[in-house]
Amino acid sequence: MDLDLTAPTASLASAVADVTRLLPTRVIEPVLTGIVLRGDAEGVTLSGTDRERGIRLWAPTLCHVDGEVLVPAKPLAETLRTVDTPEIRLVVEGSRLAVRTPQARFALPLLDLDTHPGVPAPPARLGVVAGGALRAALAPVAAAASRDDALPVFTGVRIASEGDRLVLMASDRFRLATARLPWRPVDTTPIDVLLPANTLAEILRRIPDGAEVGLHADEDRAALTWERSGLITALLATPFPSTDRLLSVTPDTTAWVEADVLAGAVRRALPYTGPHGLISLEVGDAELRVRGVDSQTGESEEMVKAVVDGGRPTRRFQARNLADGLKAFAGEQVRLAVPDIDRRGTVLTGEARRDEVELTYLVAPSRGGGH
């Protein structure tokens, strides 16, 4: 096995760290804790898999000797993270991969590359979406998914096509985020898959704004590919529940407000939301009143200017759920559509955007302690 390359430390460390985060730390097959480095004239490709997910990331390097090696991922990531030189050299020396700086040498054992399963090729490509629009849509949607593995359907992001629009959707049962964005399908084959939200969130920042992202899927797997990089993952088998009834709300009251201003008021109320983290949102004639009350810490009240139409209801929310919903509309005016039935969720929508991403965020009301 041969490999000799010089790379900018920061970009290589970032790519290695992102691959490592998606690899298992405790497995029956120790080879799966390794990272494959393949260097050639175009740079270095870093890849790894846990058999459920596979990732391949590209980083710029000057490759002196082409080659491919397998080394323990975590020690390599930790070493690169702590090195403070602008460039670093990786070179095979006997049975070790040496990580060299002008002042230091670190040596990692070479693992048996032949025993590594490799990252499988993605399924057929079904369409293409702009990287910047996908990032803008996927970030708030993935954040709305549950972290509770006991309910796997709510840990995923549903990605489905509707003609020339792609629809992303996720929920943790107490909030629901959906985003619609343009895409270019390859043919008439639709896409409708449920992917792990945490996996998508981990890889999101690696997608450049100017990249075209390919969407691939078959009955068992789905993949995102861009430039020389990609992510492939097994699908979550559970079907995502229908949400049409939740979003088809005829509001009794609407209020337009600066999302950042209202989010700031909600954050400032957090110390006064009690053990269950609840706030009250009262609709006034030309303002929204954010209230927090706790018998131990006291109470807060802040008014935020708004353009109001309709009734004057009061709703209680989990403060952090409302704050997360408003964060998705940072820098925008947001419309709150409040239904006349207090058991129905309040729907947040924003202004028309240049990237044509249409975001909708539903926050369920709280009627008592907790959710």
Side-chain angles (χ1 to χ4, degrees):
M1 288 184 284
D2 291 319
L3 183 65
D4 186 356
L5 60 85
T6 302
T9 303
S11 60
L12 184 61
S14 175
V16 170
D18 286 340
V19 173
T20 302
R21 273 195 293 271
L22 290 178
L23 297 181
T25 55
R26 296 180 181 178
V27 291
I28 299 175
E29 301 175 87
V31 69
L32 297 183
T33 64
I35 184 170
V36 178
L37 292 82
R38 184 179 185 277
D40 56 29
E42 295 186 345
V44 64
T45 301
L46 313 163
S47 58
T49 182
D50 63 1
R51 295 194 185 275
E52 290 289 319
R53 304 172 298 179
I55 183 171
R56 183 179 289 111
L57 296 179
W58 175 86
T61 62
L62 174 61
C63 196
H64 312 293
V65 177
D66 295 0
E68 188 173 20
V69 297
L70 174 68
V71 296
K74 188 173 181 180
L76 178 60
E78 287 296 314
T79 300
L80 295 176
R81 183 180 65 83
T82 56
V83 168
D84 57 3
T85 56
E87 286 192 336
I88 198 159
R89 186 178 180 188
L90 275 62
V91 56
V92 171
E93 297 177 353
S95 62
R96 297 285 189 267
L97 178 69
V99 180
R100 288 186 170 274
T101 73
Q103 296 82 26
R105 173 183 179 271
F106 311 90
L108 288 79
L110 297 177
L111 305 178
D112 186 355
L113 182 61
D114 292 336
T115 64
H116 193 271
V119 176
R125 191 172 75 166
L126 301 182
V128 176
V129 63
L134 182 62
R135 288 180 58 181
L138 193 51
V141 172
S146 174
R147 304 296 184 266
D148 184 1
D149 291 332
L151 296 169
V153 64
F154 293 110
T155 65
V157 173
R158 182 189 181 192
I159 302 179
S161 58
E162 294 181 357
D164 62 354
R165 306 293 286 182
L166 203 63
V167 182
L168 315 182
M169 185 176 299
S171 173
D172 64 359
R173 297 180 297 155
F174 308 110
R175 53 188 173 168
L176 167 68
T178 68
R180 296 174 179 269
L181 66 158
W183 88 311
R184 300 198 310 274
V186 171
D187 53 33
T188 58
T189 305
I191 184 171
D192 192 350
V193 294
L194 188 63
L195 306 183
N198 60 345
T199 300
L200 295 175
E202 284 284 356
I203 205 63
L204 194 58
R205 66 187 185 87
R206 301 296 313 185
I207 301 175
D209 284 345
E212 282 198 337
V213 180
L215 271 67
H216 310 244
D218 60 20
E219 294 181 353
D220 302 309
R221 303 171 303 155
L224 305 178
T225 59
W226 63 96
E227 297 177 346
R228 302 177 184 90
S229 303
L231 168 74
I232 184 169
T233 179
L235 303 181
L236 295 174
T238 309
F240 198 82
S242 173
T243 60
D244 293 343
R245 181 181 61 84
L246 297 174
L247 295 175
S248 58
V249 172
T250 301
D252 175 67
T253 302
T254 60
W256 281 95
V257 63
E258 293 285 347
D260 294 344
V261 177
L262 182 56
V266 172
R267 286 195 302 271
R268 287 185 287 274
L270 281 173
Y272 306 95
T273 57
H276 301 299
L278 299 179
I279 62 163
S280 293
L281 193 66
E282 302 175 8
V283 180
D285 291 338
E287 78 279 334
L288 302 178
R289 184 176 287 109
V290 180
R291 291 181 183 270
V293 178
D294 177 50
S295 59
Q296 299 295 319
T297 58
E299 62 273 341
S300 71
E301 179 179 314
E302 184 170 347
M303 289 183 290
V304 176
K305 291 182 180 179
V307 178
V308 176
D309 183 35
R312 301 295 182 265
T314 297
R315 296 289 184 268
R316 300 178 77 198
F317 300 100
Q318 280 281 327
R320 295 194 183 278
N321 287 350
L322 182 57
D324 286 348
L326 293 167
K327 181 181 177 181
F329 300 94
E332 300 180 34
Q333 285 256 338
V334 64
R335 176 181 182 264
L336 280 69
V338 186
D340 57 353
I341 302 173
D342 63 5
R343 296 189 302 274
R344 301 288 297 273
T346 293
V347 177
L348 282 61
T349 52
E351 304 167 306
R353 299 165 49 128
R354 284 186 296 178
D355 57 13
E356 299 184 64
V357 174
E358 302 170 16
L359 181 63
T360 303
Y361 206 105
L362 180 145
V363 184
S366 294
R367 296 185 298 278
H371 288 294

